[in-house]
Structure formats: structure tokens, C-alpha cells
Amino acid sequence: MQGCRRLVEVGRRQFLKGSGTMAAGAVAASVAGSRRAAATPAPARVDYPSNRLANVADLAVNEPLEIAYPDADSPGVLLKLGQAADGGVGPDGDIVGFSTLCPHKGYGLLYDPSDRVFNCPGHFSRFDAEHGGMQIWGQATQNLPQFQLRVDDRGDIYAEGVDELIYGRLSNVL
Amino acid sequence: MAYKRYIDRLPIIPADAREHNVVCHFCIVGCGYKAYSWDVNRQGGTAPDQNKFGVDLSEQQAPETEAWYSPAMYNIVKQNGKDVHLVIKPDPDCVVNSGLGSIRGARLAEESYSRTTFSQMQRLTDPLVWRYGQMQPTSWDDALDLVARVTAAVIREQGEDGLIVSAFDHGGAGGGYENTWGTGKLYFEAMKIKNIRIHNRPAYNSEVHATRDMGVGELNNCYEDAELADTIVAVGTNALETQTNYFLNHWIPNLRGQSMTKKEEELPDEPHAPARIVIVDPRRTVTVNACEAAAGKDNVLHLAINSGTDLALFNALFTYVADQGWVDREFIEASTLREASSRPPLYPARGVSEANPGHLTSFEEAVDGCRMSIEEAAEITGLGPADIVKAAEWIAMPKEGGARRRTMFGYEKGLIWGNDNYRTNGALVNIALATGNVGRLGGGVVRLGGHQEGYARPSDAHVGRPAAYVDQLLIAGDGGVHHIWGCDHYKTTLNAHEFKRVYKRRTDMVKDAMNAVPAGDREGMVGAIINAIRQGGLFAVNVDIVPTRIGEACHAILPAATSGEMNLTSMNGERRMRLTERYMDPPGQAMPDCLIAARIANHLERVLRKMGDDSYADQFQGFDWQTEEDAFIDGYQANAPGGEHVTYERLRAMGTNGFQEPATGFEDGKIVGSTRLYTEGVFSTDDGRARFMDAPWRGLQAPGKEQQKAAYAFLINNGRTNHVWQSAYLDVQNDFVMDRWPYPFIEMSPDDMAEIGVGEGDLVEVYNDAGATQAMVYPTPTARRGETFMLFAFPTGVQGNVVNAGTNELVIPNYKQTWANIRKLADAPEGTRHLSFKSQEYREV
């Protein structure tokens, strides 16, 4: 319906606003389906790259740092929450990373530092950064994909996996 | 840690995948979906020619893409005995949802039965009977023989009133035209069952008798009207959570001003602005918040009335609008009753009879009878007088240049399960009629609905009005056999504490009797059962798709197929009828309800003949259906208005858009439908004129409510939440949902929490004179002191336990006006410690 198409446009604008730093880099395709046995459902996990996203020193408490993982077309943020959180890493166990594409319709999520929640301007969904991306309320059928992080001796933060399917791709690693 | 699936790749739908039309079988909105299925040994690829979407799936897809589905939209199921991949995703070409999926409907695939992925393994696969002290699987013939013999024996002793029936009467899962006809033909044609109730109320009645008596069918507009209205009035409905994609796809665009072009095109001769909305609800819901985000706070008027005072508000609005002259005189003259009869002698305390608790009359008499000043209404409702006047202006003040304001009125359970249902419903319809907002673009006075609809049954006139209060019959020891179709009163009735106590005792009597007889001795078994029934026992038969709480008390359980495992037709809240095609096999021996009804009829005929009662046995003929389409042809096609134009083949061709009932013809390969009702100003009364209702305020109407309010500290308002469909009958096995809501929440003001000494996630007991239940505390700063809101019908804490037995004259339950005390049971259990208890309200960043 026409009204809906306009809503889509609003969503798209919001999407661009919410993920402004994402470059449109072309990613070499590895055809997910063709390299495995066809007779069984998908294997449990794809092979994830270990990507350095930032250094602990780059993060200030409660200020999201825009990153991308597993590739440039998958926007996300790193957050230092200031207190240990589900899935948190680093010396204080408080550094977390999330996809910022809403797993409902792919709109860019906007982080509200006042209550540490990601909000979706498209259909009003909310995901809690302090509780593993739990959908507090919303229309997605999954909680927010969280990046599995590792911090090395130098304080470099690496992402090495994702715990849910990222919006807009049928394989987390394209 | 929040629940995560750890699924990071899904099989790709190949270009040649099979495609079936699907309508979500949960809520009234009926979003269009497509089911894609293909052989389990194959899959598509990322190249455009290798997948259904024709796009390069090795690239990130844009927001709103058709070419993505979540893990919840995927499963592996059986189709004609073979494993297939299944993706059920929202259909972008369906005008209802335009590709939107809700948190409930977008889990249709995940909530399908699969022995490969182990989803919904709770589904019933075989008939079960009570044997050797537990439920045991058996054959259809064995189970049906027992059911038929006991049923026939009870009817022989007690007459048909000894058979008590609980049955769905709606569309979607556990319903649809096929299945309501199947059960309807069995109980209303072969038999004339009077002691029958519906899934969510204790009698066989309409939830909206008043609007029907006034000549205004309750689903009279179309979803596009929400895009065209100047003002939307939402009463007792939390549409964002309970009619999600109707709200998101049709209300929000109007509130955001995105339907302005459509308004100007369709209604060119009047000024337009983005819609304003009036929301009547004691609670600040996420719907209120979303409307504010979309329209700006200045265009949202939330009337947070005192619980149960809607009628006073509506009468004040009606009075004010009439006094200002903001009414549609031409419409009133042409289309409503002009000669009023005098008030019944005892009115307003009582109507002309218990069956007619209102007084149907003319506009002028209704204005006179309903008269209430703004100040008086402000006192009763707790609202500011200025807000009531503002609502009247938004509803009816003519637009610039004098054009009539187009106002759509939508109401649901806050009104339906609220105080004085009949008169409150009538009072709202009064305003819509007075302002000429029925049958017009941008108008309508409609219930927003729970389930879809799908009612096709023989006449129910023999049931009478008021209908029998079935729960009270069961509690009083009446009846000998109870047939239950897709209902779970243990979770979804009022006075549930007492109901369960008595029901368990009566059904246990029969179980104990059955335990004493060898299962193979059928004669002896039936004799023992009948003997237990004579002593007050009850034999219970449960037809359902899953094991239910009431099913634990039953003696025979018959497994049903659900939507998609059978072809199923229903209509949505704008009367849009579609066919969900069968895309997978039912579990085990499960059958469509209509065929189960037919097989019960076949067995009753056989057993009755054996008993020598040929004339009664003859009444059970005409049930030789072999498929659900046979039931559809016998029922809908032959009985529904316009049904002769509707076939499975035609519906299949019309996809997820279908047509809007009633059908009026078949032209150019399409069924011709009806976009709106009453467009000619002719209403559903004998003379075609609508009635107004003289409906004065009379306080809390249902027995026991005023006393309960006085005796207990907290309002226990109650209703639905976004994650959960209905009583969680499927969600109870969905990890994603149960992780979020392991217990039913109760929203409480932090000040109230401090006063009774509870923290977030703590388990509390809610208790009063009707019973007790438990809930998990959810701190809610927007909640008013002394006013809580509890999740309704949830398996781990049944709100109905504390709802008293009081109903209105027509046996409509009054769930919403419930008061109780609250005390702490336990600190937050482990299963709640990972939960977020933050505000559910979206915030603009």
C-alpha cells in the first residue's frame, strides 16, 4: 500500500541516519550453500573472521563506537557499559558489541545512553544492551545479535562470532 | 543471558520452491504470508537465478527486503510424508500487512510440528483415552466408540441438556468456516445443544449484542478507513500489541501524515490533516506511546479514565456533541428510528427483559436518557473537564468550511470485558450514529477483534438469550458429559479457581471408576462411567492440537490438525476472507476438527442404532465428509451470505488478498466483495433503520464488583502482551517467548512496590474473595498507584483465578474490573534474573 511504501522510505532515511559510517564496500562472496553437503540442514556455525575492531583505550563509558562485523556491510557498535554485563569482555567484563540492524525489518537502531537501550524508529522495538540484547519489547522474532568478543594483552578488541542471524543476510558470513 | 538460537545460516529458498498462500492463524488482522517448501535434499544458491527472489544473496540486503527471513520463519516439516524445508514469511503483496510480520505471526514456521528440529513436540499425535490410570494412545475407532457410547448413554438418561459443550466459534487456528460448521452441524442440527459456551466466555452469546441490536454489525468498515479518518477513537484496545500490523500499516501512516495523498485523492472536497487520536484506557500502553512518537503529543489525547467508567464518558461526549449540534441530521432522519417507544417500566434499573438490558430508541430519546454533563462525567471518570470537551471536539466539531469530521471508532476487550458491556457498547455506537460515521469513508464503529472470524453454523436460536451460564452448571454438578473443542478454561475463564476445584473433583470421580474396570471390557467401562456420572461425576472429551490444562482432567483426547495442516478459510477484521492452503502434514493421526465432528456423528449414529433408537440416529446423517473442502461446501457455500460465489479454487487464485465479505458475485475471474457495510444507510434491522440506545450510567453493574473494589487495595487490570499469542498454547514450547516471560508479569508502580516490599522479578501472590494466583513484578513508573496490570491467560499464573463470577445480564464476563490484594511470595527466581525490566516504551533518540 502506498502508506506503507512511505513508511519504508521513512525507515530507510532512519536507517541511513543510524548507520552513517557504513561504507558500501563490496564483499567477496563465498557461496554459503554450495560448499557443504546438501542432504542435511545447515551446520551449526559458519567460520567467522577474527577482526580487530578497536582498542580498549578507544572506548569511553556509555559512548557507542561504531564498528562493522563480520564485514563492512554489517554495522554494529562496541559499548563499554561501566559494569559487567552479559557477554561482556575486557578487564571489567563490561565491553559488549551488537549488530545495529534491527532483526525485525533492518532499520538502523539508535542507542539511548540514558537507559542503555537500542531503539528502532521503524516499529518501536527496544533491545537492552545490558541484558544480552534482550528484546524488551518489539516485533523481531529474535533478540539482538551480539558479537562474541575477545580482548588480547594489548587491549585490542576482536570480534570472533555472532550469536544470532544478522538482518539482511542468510549467512552471517557472506 | 538473553535466549539466542546460535543459528547463523539458513538454507536458501530455491527458485522453483513450492509456494502456498498462508494467512497467519493467530490474531484478527490476518496478515498475509507465503509458505515456501522444497525437498530437504536441495537448496537454492546465492546467484539470482538460484533463488526465489532473483537477487544476489551474497550481498547484504536492504531494510524491508523480501529476500531475508529469520530463523523463526524456518523449519523442516513433513509434506505428503516427506521431509521438506519450510519458510513462512510475510507477503509484501498482501494489502493487510504489506510484508510486515509481528513477533507472533513471524514465528509460524518455528511453531510448526517437526520431528526433525523437535519443535512443538507437545502436539497431539494420537487419540488418547484414560486407561490403567493414565492417558494412553489408541485408535480413532476405539476412542470415538467410547466417546459415542458415553455421550449417547448420558443423552438417553438426561436428554441433550446432559451434554455440555465448550467450543471455539472463531476463525484462524482452532476455528475457521470448515470447523465451526462441523461442530455447528453436530451440536445445532443433529442435536439442539443448549448448554454450550465459547472459548473465552461462559455462555453462548455475542460479545457485542448491543451494536447488533442497534442494527450495526460490529465489523462494518475496512482497514483503509484508518488511513482516511480525521480522528481515530480507540477504546479499550492496545492495538500495537494486539492488532499489531493493522496499527503499524494503517494507523501509523495516518498519524504520521503519510496518507495525506490518499485522503486528498479519495476525498477531494474537504480539508485534510494528519490524523489525531483519542485513546480511552486506564493504563498508559505502548500504543499511547507509539501514537505520540508518530503524531506528536499534541495530536494524541489519552483519556486515562477510572477503570470501568467508559459509559459515563461516552454519555457526556454524546450529550455535548448533540448540544453543540455537531450531528448528521440528514443521516439521522434517513437511516435511524424516528418513532420511539416509551421506556420500560423499571428502566434504567432493568430493561424490558433480561434478554434486552438496554432501551432501543430514537436519537432524541437517547440524548435525553443518556444525558450527562461534562462536570458529572469528570467526577466519575477522573478526567479533566477540558479533556472531555477536547475529545468531543476532535470527534465531531466540523472541519474548516463546515465539512463533517470523519471519525473511526475502534473498541475491544477493555470495553467488551468491561463494566456494563451492553450499555457501554451501545453508548459508543450512539456517538458514531449521531455523527454519521457508519458506512462512510474514514468512519466505522468496529470492534478491533481478537481472533479472526469464521462463523458458519445452523441457527443457534434454541440456545436462547440470556444463554445458559455453563460454568455455573458445571460447578453446580449438572451435565454428565462435556465435549471441549479448542478451549482451555483452566487458563481462560473467570472464577477459574472455583471452576477448577469442582471440575477436578467431578472428573476424578469418573477416572476412579474407570480405573476399576479392565480397559478391554467396553460394556463394563461404559457402565462404570455412567454410574459415576449418576453420582455427580463428569466424563470429559477434549479435542485440541496440544495438551491443555483442562485436558489433564479429561478421559478422552482427540488430536486435531491446525491451519496449514489442513485447508482453512477465515475472515479478518475488515471481513477479508482468504484460504490458507495446506502446506504440511498434520502430526500423526491428527485430523481437521470438522472431520472429527463428522466421525463423532458417524459413531453416534451407529451406537444409537445399536441402542434401537433409529429416529434419533437418523438425525446424525449427512456427515459423510472426507475432506475439509466437503465441510466447506456443505457449510459456507450453502449457508453463508454470498457463499454460492466462493470456492476453494477461486480463493486460491485470489491469494492473500482474497475478498471482503459478503461476496456479491463472480466477475472477470474474481469474487466480488463488499469494502464497507451500510454504505447505503440501510441497517441490519427489520425496517433497515439503526437504533440509538437510551443507556444511562449505573455504576459497576456486575454482581460483587463494588464490594470487591471496596475491600481490596489494587485494581488487577489485565490483558495481552506483545510476545504471546492467546493463552500461550504454542508459545509455552517456544524458548524465545518463555525466556522473556517465564511468569506472567504484573505491572506495578514503584511506590506500590516499595510499600509492599517487593523488587523487580519477585513473585507475588494476588488474592481476593474469588481465589489466588501468582505473578512476577514488573516495575512500571507510568502505572498509577493502586492500579496494576497482569498478563491474562498465562499458564504459569492464571489471572482468571481472581476474577469473580459476576457477569452482565447476557452472561458477558467482566474480567477487567477485578480488585485484589498483593503480597510477596518469593524473591526473584533464577529464571527471571537475566530479564530486562526496563520500560517497554520506545524512546526517540
Side-chain angles (χ1 to χ4, degrees):
Chain A
M1 305 206 48
Q2 207 164 15
C4 178
R5 293 297 167 217
R6 290 213 186 79
L7 182 62
V8 173
E9 286 312 309
V10 170
R12 288 218 172 97
R13 284 198 297 278
Q14 297 284 7
F15 167 68
L16 292 171
K17 193 171 96 184
S19 56
T21 59
M22 289 307 108
V27 178
S30 62
V31 179
S34 63
R35 66 180 178 195
R36 64 182 175 79
T40 55
R45 312 289 290 157
V46 297
D47 296 328
Y48 285 93
S50 177
N51 290 359
R52 180 187 177 281
L53 302 178
N55 188 278
V56 170
D58 300 332
L59 296 175
V61 171
N62 207 19
E63 286 180 22
L65 177 71
E66 293 190 354
I67 49 93
Y69 184 79
D71 54 64
D73 286 335
S74 174
V77 291
L78 286 181
L79 266 170
K80 182 174 172 58
L81 292 167
Q83 54 192 33
D86 291 336
V89 296
D92 304 317
D94 66 340
I95 298 170
V96 292
F98 290 97
S99 167
T100 49
L101 294 181
C102 179
H104 176 227
K105 281 291 173 183
Y107 295 179
L109 297 172
L110 303 173
Y111 181 71
D112 183 347
S114 71
D115 63 358
R116 304 179 177 207
V117 169
F118 295 98
N119 288 266
C120 180
H123 307 98
F124 315 113
S125 301
R126 281 165 63 75
F127 303 89
D128 193 339
E130 295 181 305
H131 288 87
M134 175 170 279
Q135 185 171 231
I136 302 166
W137 187 94
Q139 302 306 334
T141 54
Q142 62 199 65
N143 294 312
L144 191 61
Q146 183 166 6
F147 302 141
Q148 289 159 330
L149 305 177
R150 172 175 65 85
V151 178
D152 72 9
D153 296 344
R154 288 175 303 225
D156 285 340
I157 305 166
Y158 292 82
E160 300 188 320
V162 187
D163 59 11
E164 276 282 5
L165 191 66
I166 296 168
Y167 184 87
R169 46 182 68 198
L170 293 173
S171 170
N172 274 347
V173 178
L174 292 172
Chain B
M1 185 70 190
Y3 168 74
K4 297 293 173 72
R5 290 183 183 80
Y6 290 90
I7 291 174
D8 49 17
R9 177 159 61 181
L10 288 173
I12 292 171
I13 306 173
D16 62 351
R18 288 177 292 282
E19 184 177 321
H20 290 100
N21 297 318
V22 176
V23 177
C24 175
H25 50 74
F26 297 148
C27 92
I28 179 81
V29 179
C31 292
Y33 282 75
K34 292 280 186 184
Y36 299 95
S37 53
W38 67 99
D39 191 272
V40 76
N41 292 328
R42 296 179 55 235
Q43 65 181 316
T46 54
D49 62 349
Q50 293 176 325
N51 63 68
K52 193 77 186 176
F53 312 109
V55 302
D56 182 356
L57 291 176
S58 68
E59 292 180 354
Q60 171 74 25
Q61 305 298 307
E64 294 277 0
T65 180
E66 294 173 38
W68 187 74
Y69 33 99
S70 72
M73 300 181 202
Y74 170 76
N75 211 332
I76 296 175
V77 300
K78 292 269 190 222
Q79 192 177 71
N80 302 319
K82 291 180 181 168
D83 276 342
V84 293
H85 295 283
L86 175 74
V87 170
I88 305 179
K89 56 186 282 301
D91 181 4
D93 296 322
C94 176
V95 296
V96 173
N97 54 311
S98 305
L100 288 174
S102 79
I103 188 174
R104 299 170 302 282
R107 289 186 286 110
L108 284 173
E110 186 174 71
E111 293 200 325
S112 297
Y113 175 71
S114 174
R115 295 189 65 82
T116 306
T117 62
F118 300 104
S119 57
Q120 292 298 322
M121 290 298 286
Q122 62 168 340
R123 286 291 303 274
L124 297 168
T125 55
D126 298 274
L128 304 170
V129 293
W130 186 260
R131 202 161 66 202
Y132 318 127
Q134 57 184 305
M135 297 307 288
Q136 304 274 10
T138 195
S139 63
W140 273 108
D141 278 342
D142 181 58
L144 291 169
D145 178 72
L146 181 66
V147 169
R149 285 199 202 210
V150 174
T151 302
V154 166
I155 290 174
R156 169 168 279 192
E157 282 204 11
Q158 301 189 15
E160 288 182 345
D161 287 355
L163 168 55
I164 292 178
V165 176
S166 297
F168 53 79
D169 74 334
H170 50 70
Y177 289 111
E178 293 79 2
N179 295 327
T180 59
W181 178 255
T183 47
K185 184 167 177 166
L186 176 62
Y187 297 115
F188 290 171
E189 192 173 285
M191 295 182 265
K192 293 285 180 206
I193 297 302
K194 199 172 71 190
N195 294 332
I196 176 168
R197 59 159 285 176
I198 299 170
H199 66 285
N200 60 3
R201 52 197 189 271
Y204 201 82
N205 49 14
S206 168
E207 293 171 332
V208 288
H209 277 300
T211 191
R212 292 184 184 177
D213 289 352
M214 294 164 81
V216 183
E218 66 271 22
L219 298 176
N220 49 66
N221 75 352
C222 66
Y223 283 177
E224 191 183 50
D225 286 317
E227 298 175 48
L228 298 174
D230 294 303
T231 302
I232 297 172
V233 178
V235 177
T237 172
N238 177 15
L240 176 55
E241 296 191 89
T242 55
Q243 295 94 17
T244 297
N245 291 326
Y246 177 28
F247 179 84
L248 289 174
N249 201 32
H250 301 277
W251 295 27
I252 286 286
N254 195 358
L255 293 166
R256 281 181 173 159
Q258 292 161 332
S259 62
M260 286 294 287
T261 308
K262 178 177 276 189
K263 288 180 171 188
E264 281 153 10
E265 281 169 7
E266 294 197 30
L267 303 161
D269 301 323
E270 58 190 84
H272 294 289
R276 295 190 290 204
I277 185 164
V278 179
I279 300 172
V280 182
D281 196 320
R283 178 174 70 127
R284 181 178 165 86
T285 60
V286 290
T287 299
V288 176
N289 180 66
C291 288
E292 289 176 355
K297 286 189 178 181
D298 290 348
N299 294 310
V300 179
L301 179 59
H302 175 207
L303 299 178
I305 58 172
N306 292 328
S307 176
T309 63
D310 311 59
L311 178 55
L313 170 66
F314 300 159
N315 283 348
L317 292 171
F318 183 47
T319 303
Y320 190 84
V321 164
D323 288 353
Q324 296 297 314
W326 296 337
V327 297
D328 189 335
R329 278 278 158 205
E330 204 176 322
F331 172 83
I332 291 169
E333 288 296 337
S335 296
T336 69
L337 184 75
R338 301 308 296 137
E339 288 174 20
S341 57
S342 53
R343 270 185 162 189
L346 295 176
Y347 211 69
R350 307 183 69 162
V352 66
S353 73
E354 286 297 284
N356 295 289
H359 173 45
L360 303 175
T361 187
S362 67
F363 168 68
E364 290 79 6
E365 294 293 317
V367 171
D368 205 36
C370 295
R371 182 160 288 283
M372 177 167 285
S373 70
I374 297 289
E375 292 69 27
E376 196 184 350
E379 178 67 28
I380 295 168
T381 60
L383 299 172
D387 277 344
I388 301 177
V389 171
K390 189 195 239 185
E393 290 173 352
W394 285 16
I395 288 167
M397 182 192 270
K399 297 197 275 187
E400 198 182 320
R404 190 181 62 83
R405 193 166 292 277
R406 297 177 186 274
T407 299
M408 180 193 117
F409 301 83
Y411 59 94
E412 196 37 48
K413 291 295 193 292
L415 186 156
I416 289 168
W417 294 157
N419 175 41
D420 212 351
N421 160 297
Y422 190 85
R423 293 187 193 179
T424 306
N425 186 197
L428 185 64
V429 177
N430 278 346
I431 305 171
L433 286 171
T435 56
N437 274 307
V438 188
R440 307 270 181 79
L441 273 67
V445 56
V446 293
R447 67 170 297 182
L448 295 175
H451 292 265
Q452 282 167 77
E453 301 299 329
Y455 191 94
R457 274 182 180 157
S459 169
D460 62 1
H462 64 278
V463 171
R465 178 173 150 172
Y469 192 159
V470 167
D471 286 18
Q472 293 298 321
L473 297 178
L474 287 166
I475 289 170
D478 291 344
V481 59
H482 187 197
H483 292 184
I484 308 159
W485 296 77
C487 303
D488 194 354
H489 308 322
Y490 275 32
K491 288 189 290 184
T492 61
T493 198
L494 70 170
N495 195 25
H497 206 103
E498 175 67 1
F499 180 87
K500 286 182 275 200
R501 190 183 69 78
V502 176
Y503 200 86
K504 180 173 186 304
R505 180 173 56 75
R506 294 190 66 191
T507 51
D508 277 351
M509 289 171 70
V510 171
K511 284 182 176 172
D512 290 343
M514 293 175 80
N515 290 343
V517 184
D521 176 6
R522 181 53 47 96
E523 295 288 341
M525 181 65 76
V526 173
I529 292 168
I530 294 299
N531 197 40
I533 290 170
R534 288 186 190 126
Q535 292 163 39
L538 184 74
F539 182 80
V541 182
N542 186 203
V543 186
D544 213 310
I545 63 170
V546 291
T548 60
R549 296 298 163 98
I550 198 170
E552 292 169 14
C554 293
H555 310 93
I557 293 179
L558 307 177
T562 192
S563 185
E565 298 160 0
M566 63 177 288
N567 297 288
L568 191 79
T569 55
S570 298
M571 74 169 193
N572 78 347
E574 55 174 348
R575 310 170 318 287
R576 188 176 296 279
M577 181 176 182
R578 279 81 48 92
L579 169 69
T580 292
E581 298 177 273
R582 174 175 160 147
Y583 51 78
M584 62 179 283
D585 300 346
Q589 303 187 59
M591 289 198 296
D593 294 83
C594 54
L595 298 185
I596 296 174
R599 299 296 89 86
I600 290 175
N602 299 153
H603 277 265
L604 276 167
E605 183 188 353
R606 176 182 59 77
V607 166
L608 288 164
R609 274 196 212 293
K610 209 168 157 189
M611 290 164 77
D613 196 345
D614 275 332
S615 65
Y616 193 35
D618 287 346
Q619 291 178 212
F620 293 87
Q621 292 181 329
F623 286 95
D624 49 358
W625 312 324
Q626 297 306 308
T627 68
E628 56 271 28
E629 189 169 11
D630 294 340
F632 180 81
I633 291 166
D634 192 48
Y636 187 89
Q637 247 181 44
N639 294 277
E644 68 272 22
H645 306 298
V646 186
T647 66
Y648 270 18
E649 187 187 356
R650 290 175 180 181
L651 284 171
R652 225 174 257 127
M654 295 188 74
T656 58
N657 286 326
F659 74 97
Q660 287 175 271
E661 294 189 74
T664 59
F666 182 70
E667 291 169 16
D668 304 325
K670 288 182 176 168
I671 301 165
V672 182
S674 312
T675 307
R676 294 175 183 82
L677 303 185
Y678 311 123
T679 50
E680 306 298 321
V682 178
F683 289 89
S684 306
T685 53
D686 290 343
D687 58 14
R689 287 174 175 271
R691 269 63 172 155
F692 284 86
M693 189 185 289
D694 171 1
W697 166 251
R698 53 174 168 168
L700 293 180
Q701 172 272 332
K705 296 294 182 184
E706 287 285 7
Q707 296 88 321
Q708 201 180 60
K709 183 181 180 183
Y712 297 97
F714 293 96
L715 172 72
I716 313 296
N717 192 1
N718 54 89
R720 306 296 186 182
T721 196
N722 195 54
H723 275 67
V724 180
W725 167 243
Q726 222 248 359
S727 62
Y729 59 88
L730 291 178
D731 292 332
V732 74
Q733 281 209 339
N734 187 275
D735 292 332
F736 172 63
V737 173
M738 295 309 286
D739 178 68
R740 178 72 181 112
W741 299 125
Y743 302 97
F745 60 77
I746 186 164
E747 295 178 357
M748 290 186 79
S749 147
D751 294 335
D752 286 339
M753 288 171 58
E755 192 170 303
I756 62 169
V758 293
E760 64 182 29
D762 285 358
L763 292 182
V764 292
E765 183 169 53
V766 180
Y767 64 101
N768 63 12
D769 51 341
T773 188
Q774 68 167 6
M776 172 183 77
V777 174
Y778 202 105
T780 307
T782 56
R784 296 194 287 211
R785 291 293 308 263
E787 297 194 5
T788 70
F789 180 89
M790 180 175 168
L791 178 58
F792 182 73
F794 205 64
T796 50
V798 174
Q799 194 275 338
N801 282 5
V802 293
V803 179
N804 78 357
T807 66
N808 86 340
E809 295 92 333
L810 297 172
V811 203
I812 302 294
N814 186 185
Y815 294 104
K816 302 290 186 183
Q817 277 72 50
T818 294
W819 286 267
N821 286 341
I822 300 175
R823 61 188 164 206
K824 182 167 175 172
L825 287 173
D827 290 336
E830 181 60 27
T832 70
R833 292 188 183 195
H834 67 294
L835 297 183
S836 175
F837 288 97
K838 292 179 183 173
S839 166
Q840 301 187 42
E841 291 193 6
Y842 164 78
R843 284 201 221 170
E844 228 152 353
V845 181

